[in-house]
Amino acid sequence: MLVGRSHEQARLAALVEAARDGTGGALVLRGDPGIGKTALLDWVAALPTTTLPDATLVLRAAGAEFEADLPFAGLTQLLRPVLDRLDRLPGPQRTALATAFGLEPPTGARDPAQPVDRLLVGLAVLSLLADGEPDRSSPEPRPEVRSSLKPRPEVVVCLVDDAQWLDSVSADALLFAARRLGAEGIAIVFAARDGAFPAPGVPSLELQGLADADAVRLLQPGLAQTVQLRQLALAHGNPLALLTGGAPPAAFRDQVAALPAGTRAALLLAAADDSGELGPVLRLASAEDLRPAEEARLVEVGDGRIRFRHPLVRAAVYNGAALAERVAAHRALAGELTGAGSADRHAWHRAAAATGPDDEVAALLEASADTARARGGYSAAAAACERAAELSTDPKARARRLLLAAENGLHAGAHGAAVRLAERAAGFDDDPAFLARVGAVEGMAWFWQGDFRAAYDLIAYGGHHRNALHPAWYLGEPTIGECLDRLAEATDDPVARYIVAAARGRPLPPVADRRTAHDPAVAPRDLVELCGFGFVAGQDSETHELAAALTTRCRAEGLAGLLPTLLFYLAEAELFAGRHRDAAVSVHEGLALARDAGQALWVGQLSAVRAVLHALAGDDDECRSAAADALAATAPGAEPAGYAWTQWALALHDLGRGRPEAAVPRLAALQADPYAHQVVAYRSIPDLVEAAVRAGRDPEADPAVARLAAFADRTAQPWAQSLVHRCRALRSGDEHEFLIALKLPSRPFERARTELLYGEWLRRARRKSDARPLLQQALETFDRLSARPWSARARTELEATGLPSAAARPEPAAARLTPQELQIARLAAQGLSNKDIAAQLFLSPKTVAYHLYKAYPKLGVTARTDLAALPL
């Protein structure tokens, strides 16, 4: 029975009951050692069948300090009972988990420059846990009978103790799954110490000390009142301290010290290994040695496992032993763990037993790092390489291993550690080629931390000019020009040739010469840069096709980590083409993936595009909120990568709300360094011209018009030339310029804006009958695109021509759906099953089914087969 935890018990029971009803959720219990986190997990596991139905599967794992550097140790422990479901996962997910767990070898040699996709492992974990209910594909029953036909899903309860000691890949995968729980019957509860285990997006529950009225119930009966008061004062409501009469860190020290020497030695073996496997312990000790510890309820033994009653018991055993005893225990375990499946643990026990440099052990750790890296365990690989460097006697070997540690830290997202390790590596080897590698690694680490100047200098020093383009892009001229000069020398690189030609306004290589997005010999990562510079070249349609093809390939191959970048480019192309709803779908998915992957740069960029879309739709609060998210997505002291897009969004918001004077300074700033070369600077020029003219600041627009005209001439794109003529019409009042602008092919939204501006000009010239058809056409387009500020402006202008107020167009079916509902409905309309859709969108099939269930009444349909006939 738990004392004084009714609030926490109610919260946990509600979480599990929600999972039973088909709404998954997660929670992190936080608190000091001994505060009762483990006891609450035990309580959840023992909930009666009134809360946990017979089909409930309870999975448990506990982080272990010694295993924090062993990749997938936590996941292996948690998922062992459900690995028989592995073959039911989609191919890339099954391969990712099978490789992670060492059930099959990695596919090909693993190049550190091509990291394993951590998001795919997280999706595979979610799919594995959510596999209790079969996929329900078309046809589906009517809504009024669907609930009675829905089978009772299996409830899965995952309990993870000491989460602060989980290995990083296990923690990342479980947090990915926890954040994406929706319609799954899954509850995940983590327990972690205060200040450890960051879990953004997952609710936390802080455990406080017990009130005195509850605390006194845990004291030993018969204590004198003065003793009771003293113990209550010392315990501060900590249940473990109350039960043992001592402070939590020392709660079990006396109990352990009182055990026989043989028992303490056996417990030290279990504490040193910390894997929970009983076999190695019993091969070095005996079951009889463990019996006194079992009788004292310090450990539980059974089913081939040994589990300490509390993590503090293990700490008391391990920290209470002398150094020589700990070294001997690790050495004995290393001698016992010599099989092929124990190579990593063997290496780490050898390292723990090492008291000085040891090249043999260093080589074993480097081999362990290679294995971890091939399985996607980059944090583990970094730790193994760093420890191997410490044990190396040769300075160059130490330098090489420190740089390997830095490379793996970079892929693990530990950018600060990567800088530290790279700088240490440079101190042991001054070979120029080696220092160039150091610069490349350290530079990329600074790039992801937002220090673009340091990143550029280091990467360029190493001669990696295509990579140097990334930070140069945010530094502007003359840095980007210098980088392009160097890149121009790489004549054997077709991607480099295209980038230089696009940026310099030279004749472009034919699109057919680009390496195809579906060529298996070409990594998608190597083609991503073409998308960004395709916009620089004005090749929006071709860029959309390339980004869409790369997105399709990355979905098929499970390369989720690249999708935020590609979805940003896809959203950009859709926005420029006037497909605002499609852009919102891409942004929604890209943002979720970028947040899961910890890609702050793309969180900022995608949030900024989202702000632009909200500005066009007239969603004032959402625009400001998305802009704030974009500006916050950066390291302290660094300029946000999405700053330019954010300024465009806020300027569009001002322009749409009739505040042109507020929009001008934001838009004018984009025409100066370091933003003038960026795509958004050119695409926002028509808005600057309109804002300047409406604010009576016409001359400020002239340099920008000249820049746009040069861009249109360079790219020879009709839509760009149409915009130039519109801008000239606004500046000169020449009607002929409006007519040319409308005669040239242009995008729907921009054409409607030209019609609106021309219609306004005609009305002011008292040519109301000429203005009406233009304004009506503009209004229809704005209504269709849900561009409400521009719809309101067009409607006002129409009324000023003498027409009665036009009723708003009925909202299209697609506009009634959330971006995710629309994306899922479109795929379902193509005939894809829930399982196929889930694999593409990195969701579970149950979440897909849930979103379809929500979409049907909004669309006025009752079955999946009805979707194909809708204009989605």
Side-chain angles (χ1 to χ4, degrees):
M1 183 180 70
L2 294 179
V3 171
R5 293 298 185 202
S6 57
H7 169 68
E8 291 84 355
Q9 288 170 289
R11 180 84 176 268
L12 289 165
L15 182 75
V16 174
E17 287 170 2
R20 182 191 63 188
D21 294 335
T23 303
L27 183 69
V28 183
L29 300 176
R30 299 189 181 277
D32 294 330
I35 201 68
K37 302 184 296 294
T38 302
L40 280 167
L41 294 184
D42 291 341
W43 178 82
V44 173
L47 280 172
T49 55
T50 53
T51 301
L52 295 180
D54 293 338
T56 299
L57 175 64
V58 177
L59 302 174
R60 297 198 68 160
E65 193 170 7
F66 181 73
E67 291 192 332
D69 292 324
L70 294 179
F72 299 101
L75 271 184
T76 303
Q77 187 185 155
L78 183 76
L79 300 180
R80 186 181 288 112
V82 293
L83 287 182
D84 59 337
R85 303 177 178 180
L86 205 57
D87 287 338
R88 284 141 64 176
L89 299 184
Q93 296 179 38
R94 191 202 66 79
T95 299
L97 267 193
T99 300
F101 292 155
L103 300 177
E104 58 184 50
T107 54
R110 174 61 60 191
D111 178 1
Q114 302 292 339
V116 171
D117 204 304
R118 291 180 293 167
L119 293 184
L120 184 63
V121 176
L123 175 64
V125 170
L126 176 61
S127 298
L128 198 66
L129 294 175
D131 194 52
E133 183 179 8
D135 177 35
R136 291 173 298 159
S137 300
S138 60
E140 294 188 12
R142 298 186 309 279
E144 62 268 21
V145 299
R146 189 181 296 118
S147 60
S148 65
L149 297 180
K150 182 177 178 180
R152 168 72 71 177
E154 175 187 57
V155 176
V156 179
V157 178
C158 300
L159 306 174
V160 183
D161 206 353
D162 279 321
Q164 73 276 0
W165 285 332
L166 283 175
D167 60 281
S168 65
V169 281
S170 293
D172 287 347
L174 288 171
L175 287 172
F176 176 95
R179 284 190 291 266
R180 293 199 162 222
L181 294 177
E184 298 79 18
I186 301 171
I188 302 178
V189 184
F190 302 95
R193 293 186 181 178
D194 271 340
F197 189 64
V202 179
S204 292
L205 178 61
E206 190 80 23
L207 301 190
Q208 305 295 335
L210 299 177
D212 285 351
D214 293 314
V216 74
R217 298 169 60 190
L218 296 182
L219 294 175
Q220 296 179 18
L223 293 177
Q225 186 175 16
T226 55
V227 176
Q228 283 189 358
L229 291 175
R230 185 171 65 250
Q231 289 196 5
L232 287 173
L234 290 172
H236 298 291
N238 186 289
L240 185 59
L242 292 163
L243 288 167
T244 60
F252 299 106
R253 192 174 300 157
D254 293 342
Q255 283 182 277
V256 171
L259 294 171
T263 301
R264 293 200 306 274
L267 289 180
L268 179 57
L269 290 168
D273 187 38
D274 213 15
S275 68
E277 292 185 14
L278 185 59
V281 175
L282 292 184
R283 288 194 291 273
L284 295 167
S286 70
E288 288 302 314
D289 289 330
L290 290 173
R291 197 173 307 282
E294 290 184 82
E295 292 171 351
R297 296 186 61 246
L298 294 174
V299 294
E300 298 173 357
V301 177
D303 297 326
R305 310 285 296 171
I306 180 169
R307 177 174 175 259
F308 286 100
R309 168 189 167 190
H310 193 280
L312 290 178
V313 177
R314 179 202 173 270
V317 170
Y318 192 80
N319 297 328
L323 175 62
E325 292 174 317
R326 295 200 296 267
V327 167
H330 283 295
R331 187 173 291 129
L333 287 164
E336 190 60 42
L337 298 168
T338 56
S342 304
D344 294 335
R345 288 164 65 196
H346 171 82
W348 277 106
H349 281 300
R350 288 281 301 274
T355 55
D358 189 322
D359 287 325
E360 181 183 348
V361 176
L364 289 173
L365 283 172
E366 186 174 348
S368 175
D370 290 341
T371 302
R373 182 170 56 248
R375 296 164 58 193
Y378 295 104
S379 293
C385 287
E386 184 175 12
R387 180 66 175 131
E390 294 168 356
L391 295 174
S392 302
T393 58
D394 176 56
K396 288 187 179 295
R398 179 173 298 174
R400 181 176 58 79
R401 286 165 175 158
L402 284 169
L403 184 56
L404 284 173
E407 288 174 342
N408 285 292
L410 181 63
H411 293 315
H415 303 127
V419 169
R420 173 181 58 81
L421 290 162
E423 289 177 344
R424 285 178 59 196
F428 291 102
D429 191 342
D430 59 2
D431 177 71
F434 180 78
L435 292 177
R437 284 183 58 205
V438 170
V441 173
E442 187 179 352
M444 287 308 298
W446 281 120
F447 173 75
W448 289 114
Q449 293 178 86
D451 190 334
F452 301 131
R453 171 50 61 188
Y456 175 77
D457 290 343
L458 286 162
I459 297 170
Y461 168 80
H464 302 275
H465 302 307
R466 268 182 61 187
N467 286 343
L469 264 178
H470 300 161
W473 185 255
Y474 297 101
L475 294 171
E477 295 293 354
T479 306
I480 195 165
E482 172 188 285
C483 187
L484 288 168
D485 287 341
R486 293 174 175 174
L487 194 61
E489 299 170 6
T491 55
D492 59 337
D493 183 347
V495 174
R497 287 201 305 271
Y498 180 88
I499 288 171
V500 172
R504 291 279 166 78
R506 298 171 184 165
L508 289 169
V511 175
D513 283 355
R514 294 189 198 180
R515 290 179 286 182
T516 174
H518 296 289
D519 184 351
V522 181
R525 186 179 301 274
D526 293 334
L527 298 173
V528 169
E529 289 159 302
L530 288 176
C531 296
F533 282 89
F535 293 123
V536 173
Q539 294 189 333
D540 295 7
S541 297
E542 295 88 344
T543 300
H544 179 269
E545 291 174 9
L546 178 62
L550 287 171
T551 299
T552 299
R553 180 176 171 188
C554 286
R555 292 192 197 283
E557 296 181 8
L559 302 176
L562 272 180
L563 283 175
T565 311
L566 290 168
L567 288 166
F568 168 75
Y569 290 131
L570 204 58
E572 199 172 352
E574 289 158 347
L575 169 65
F576 294 154
R579 297 195 297 273
H580 299 173
R581 191 68 179 162
D582 292 349
V585 169
S586 297
V587 165
H588 177 85
E589 182 186 6
L591 259 178
L593 289 169
R595 288 184 174 125
D596 281 326
Q599 297 178 4
L601 185 145
W602 295 114
V603 169
Q605 293 278 45
L606 286 157
S607 294
V609 177
R610 187 182 189 186
V612 169
L613 292 167
H614 283 307
L616 294 173
D619 302 326
D620 296 6
D621 293 342
E622 290 86 347
C623 176
R624 286 189 288 265
S625 175
D629 289 343
L631 296 175
T634 188
E639 182 172 278
Y643 178 82
W645 277 90
T646 301
Q647 297 310 298
W648 189 22
L650 295 174
L652 281 170
H653 175 255
D654 287 330
L655 193 58
R657 292 304 180 190
R659 298 188 295 267
E661 65 285 347
V664 171
R666 294 187 187 277
L667 294 167
L670 298 181
Q671 303 306 312
D673 223 29
Y675 314 111
H677 66 285
Q678 294 189 20
V679 173
V680 68
Y682 285 96
R683 305 307 172 100
S684 64
I685 287 175
D687 304 309
L688 171 59
V689 174
E690 181 181 339
V693 170
R694 292 175 66 190
R697 299 165 63 173
D698 305 36
E700 296 183 38
D702 289 343
V705 175
R707 292 190 74 223
L708 183 61
F711 172 79
D713 290 341
R714 183 173 76 243
T715 61
Q717 295 289 345
W719 57 263
Q721 294 165 348
S722 173
L723 292 173
V724 171
H725 287 289
R726 183 175 92 196
C727 291
R728 287 173 177 165
L730 287 172
R731 281 291 289 117
S732 66
D734 184 346
E735 183 177 7
H736 183 63
E737 295 286 356
F738 275 126
L739 295 172
I740 297 174
L742 288 174
K743 187 177 293 185
L744 288 166
S746 57
R747 279 79 181 272
F749 182 65
E750 294 301 339
R751 180 175 182 83
R753 289 183 66 180
T754 302
E755 291 167 341
L756 172 61
L757 290 165
Y758 186 23
E760 289 175 333
W761 185 88
L762 289 169
R763 185 191 62 77
R764 288 194 298 271
R766 301 184 183 278
R767 293 166 57 185
K768 295 180 180 181
S769 60
D770 292 335
R772 286 170 190 150
L774 289 165
L775 295 171
Q776 286 173 324
Q777 291 168 21
L779 178 58
E780 287 182 11
T781 301
F782 293 143
D783 279 349
R784 179 165 49 83
L785 295 176
S786 298
R788 287 181 285 274
W790 280 265
S791 290
R793 190 167 140 195
R795 194 168 280 109
T796 299
E797 285 293 327
L798 270 174
E799 291 173 356
T801 67
L803 282 183
S805 179
R809 284 168 53 102
E811 191 175 46
R816 301 173 204 144
L817 306 182
T818 67
Q820 192 162 57
E821 288 169 354
L822 176 58
Q823 189 176 27
I824 289 170
R826 284 173 168 173
L827 292 171
Q830 296 171 21
L832 275 67
S833 70
N834 289 358
K835 191 171 184 179
D836 293 334
I837 297 170
Q840 280 203 33
L841 303 185
F842 297 87
L843 302 169
S844 77
K846 293 180 186 176
T847 295
V848 171
Y850 171 79
H851 284 297
L852 282 175
Y853 181 82
K854 298 285 284 185
Y856 286 171
K858 296 180 183 180
L859 296 173
V861 300
T862 59
R864 193 187 199 98
T865 50
D866 298 333
L867 294 173
L870 297 178
L872 299 176

